[in-house]
Amino acid sequence: MAEARSDRCVNWGTATLGPNAFQIIDDTDAKKPVFELPYKKMQSVAKTKTDVIIETKCDITDLEDDECMLCEVRFTLPPTAVIAGKPEGKTTGEKTHILASHFEKKMVGGEDIELGDMVTALRNITLLAPRGVFTFELHGKQFKLEGRTSKNAKAVMEWLVPMKTLMGMYLLDASHKKPGLLWLCLCLSKAIRSGNQTHSCLVVEIGGEEVDAEDFGQINLEALTEEQKKRKTKTGDVMLTADMRGDPGAAIPRIFQGLSGADIIKPIAGKDPIACSDRAGKMGHLYLMEKSILFVPSPAVSIRLDNIELVTFDGISGGAGTAQVVFKVKATTHTFAGLEKADVPNLVAYVKAKNLPVTGLEVQPIGPLSDLDSSDASDQGSYSMSGVSEDSEDPEPKAKKAKKEKKSKKEKKEKKSKKEKK
């Protein structure tokens, strides 16, 4: 943009699109940049009819109490704006699209990255995290995610995600929500940010019905890299073929696996998902894997078992109410509440089988003596949460009894003294 801009009526200078950063150049003779935003510091791009919104990569862990951080930059393009070195758009909407596309190509690695030919597109895909309807444009080395979130339906959000950051995928049965429903969780090594929330797991909802898009499942084999062309399934079949139409529950995970090479992980057989809520009160389910625990749908949380330092159960005794479990992971904790008592034994058995350090299992449940072994009943009785045996006498009746006996003795003594006087 070869045009002066200002902030709060203070003229900054001329906005320019440099090779490695967006800059605002001083209009005086010095011609020095007074503001600079490197492309590699950009997290995501969104656009409206007149604005382009850049969200930056924010890490607040190193901030002091009195420090601030730039998290969002908004560009407003008037009809007279000119984008230097770019095709001239006739309308404001075209100009915002041109500028947003420029930032998208620049923000990964700080270099001008060409997407190349598109392998395939997945249109009108429902995501639960971030929640909204999106289109996946899948290319050989990266994929573009574009759509509108439920929180900001006016702005079109766009993320460019390198395929190498897709570390793994979870394929989950969500038939408790709807028969035949699947959730595909795409786990990223670099989280994307939507508003004030970051998402390291993209949760794709795959229904049991066929996809309406005409181009669904049509793969452009010429756009694949040599490594992607050679990838095969466990049965030895070529993973990506020219025509992959059919069941989306089988086709979509296979397409992502063929492009990224990431493994598809499924829950342990026989371990049903456990209904609960996270710290913010959002309902979801815990899925138990061989090497991790996953909470979905939004925001999805993946916890590796080798990172868990302690598991704490709370409220598992007694018959009524719900229980809570807390996973301590290094410097943070993940709390899940509202667990049904019927699901607790399944989770406890899983934690013990994985040899995880656990507390909160020491409290004996309240129950009749018949629930205990005959050898233990004579010694232990039945214990309540306070640790007082239910067979012991209540201290309050004892005090009343002692007071009554004392009063009776006093009355007897007074009667005896009266008789002696007579």
Side-chain angles (χ1 to χ4, degrees), residues 51-65:
D51 295 351
V52 175
I53 305 104
I54 303 294
E55 289 188 349
T56 63
K57 298 176 181 177
C58 294
D59 185 6
I60 62 173
T61 54
D62 297 330
L63 285 181
E64 300 293 338
D65 293 338

Side-chain angles (χ1 to χ4, degrees), residues 192-310:
I192 66 172
R193 190 158 63 88
S194 175
N196 59 355
Q197 219 172 35
T198 58
H199 298 275
S200 57
C201 287
L202 309 180
V203 183
V204 181
E205 187 175 81
I206 307 175
E209 66 278 357
E210 296 289 332
V211 178
D212 295 332
E214 295 180 359
D215 58 349
F216 172 75
Q218 297 181 10
I219 307 297
N220 179 11
L221 298 179
E222 295 181 357
L224 299 177
T225 64
E226 290 300 321
E227 185 181 1
Q228 291 167 343
K229 292 178 182 179
K230 295 178 182 178
R231 286 196 179 115
K232 295 184 178 181
T233 62
K234 292 182 179 180
T235 58
D237 298 329
V238 177
M239 193 164 287
L240 295 175
T241 59
D243 188 355
M244 299 190 67
R245 287 174 293 184
D247 180 14
I252 293 177
R254 186 166 170 173
I255 290 172
F256 275 105
Q257 188 178 24
L259 292 175
S260 66
D263 295 328
I264 295 180
I265 305 168
K266 296 182 179 181
I268 299 174
K271 297 290 186 182
D272 295 330
I274 300 173
C276 59
S277 62
D278 63 3
R279 192 191 301 270
K282 294 184 178 180
M283 295 301 299
H285 287 77
L286 285 175
Y287 286 83
L288 308 180
M289 315 287 176
E290 285 292 347
K291 297 182 180 180
S292 60
I293 298 174
L294 185 68
F295 175 79
V296 290
S298 177
V301 177
S302 178
I303 308 172
R304 289 184 55 87
L305 297 185
D306 53 8
N307 289 335
I308 296 178
E309 297 179 353
L310 182 64

Side-chain angles (χ1 to χ4, degrees), residues 64-369:
E64 300 293 338
D65 293 338
D66 57 345
E67 286 186 319
C68 299
M69 178 173 285
L70 179 65
C71 296
E72 181 181 288
V73 180
R74 184 181 292 262
F75 301 93
T76 299
L77 279 75
T80 57
V82 177
I83 304 175
K86 298 295 174 184
E88 185 177 351
K90 295 180 180 180
T91 65
T92 303
E94 290 178 356
K95 292 176 181 179
T96 57
H97 178 75
I98 292 170
L99 184 60
S101 299
H102 171 81
F103 286 135
E104 286 172 4
K105 293 178 181 179
K106 288 281 191 177
M107 69 184 183
V108 181
E111 299 176 356
D112 200 349
I113 294 179
E114 294 296 333
L115 289 175
D117 295 335
M118 186 170 63
V119 176
T120 189
L122 305 175
R123 307 183 193 282
N124 298 323
I125 300 295
T126 300
L127 260 65
L128 302 181
R131 188 174 293 276
V133 179
F134 295 86
T135 293
F136 285 87
E137 288 186 8
L138 302 177
H139 301 260
K141 295 183 178 180
Q142 50 268 325
F143 67 85
K144 180 180 176 182
L145 184 62
E146 180 178 359
R148 302 176 189 272
T149 63
S150 57
K151 289 186 177 180
N152 190 2
K154 293 183 178 180
V156 178
M157 301 296 294
E158 295 180 359
W159 295 273
L160 193 64
V161 182
M163 203 66 72
K164 63 182 180 181
T165 64
L166 183 54
M167 306 304 294
M169 294 177 286
Y170 295 100
L171 187 60
L172 311 174
D173 179 14
S175 56
H176 55 275
K177 292 285 186 181
K178 179 183 174 182
L181 188 66
L182 295 173
W183 286 338
L184 178 64
C185 299
L186 308 176
C187 295
L188 308 176
S189 60
K190 293 182 179 180
I192 66 172
R193 190 158 63 88
S194 175
N196 59 355
Q197 219 172 35
T198 58
H199 298 275
S200 57
C201 287
L202 309 180
V203 183
V204 181
E205 187 175 81
I206 307 175
E209 66 278 357
E210 296 289 332
V211 178
D212 295 332
E214 295 180 359
D215 58 349
F216 172 75
Q218 297 181 10
I219 307 297
N220 179 11
L221 298 179
E222 295 181 357
L224 299 177
T225 64
E226 290 300 321
E227 185 181 1
Q228 291 167 343
K229 292 178 182 179
K230 295 178 182 178
R231 286 196 179 115
K232 295 184 178 181
T233 62
K234 292 182 179 180
T235 58
D237 298 329
V238 177
M239 193 164 287
L240 295 175
T241 59
D243 188 355
M244 299 190 67
R245 287 174 293 184
D247 180 14
I252 293 177
R254 186 166 170 173
I255 290 172
F256 275 105
Q257 188 178 24
L259 292 175
S260 66
D263 295 328
I264 295 180
I265 305 168
K266 296 182 179 181
I268 299 174
K271 297 290 186 182
D272 295 330
I274 300 173
C276 59
S277 62
D278 63 3
R279 192 191 301 270
K282 294 184 178 180
M283 295 301 299
H285 287 77
L286 285 175
Y287 286 83
L288 308 180
M289 315 287 176
E290 285 292 347
K291 297 182 180 180
S292 60
I293 298 174
L294 185 68
F295 175 79
V296 290
S298 177
V301 177
S302 178
I303 308 172
R304 289 184 55 87
L305 297 185
D306 53 8
N307 289 335
I308 296 178
E309 297 179 353
L310 182 64
V311 182
T312 303
F313 286 92
D314 186 22
I316 66 173
S317 60
T322 57
Q324 174 180 286
V325 62
V326 180
F327 298 97
K328 187 178 185 302
V329 182
K330 295 182 180 179
T332 186
T333 58
H334 299 283
T335 303
F336 303 102
L339 282 76
E340 295 294 335
K341 295 295 177 67
D343 294 330
V344 171
N346 185 23
L347 184 56
V348 171
Y350 171 81
V351 169
K352 288 185 174 180
K354 297 301 180 182
N355 296 320
L356 298 176
V358 59
T359 62
L361 303 179
E362 299 82 6
V363 180
Q364 296 287 338
I366 300 174
L369 291 176

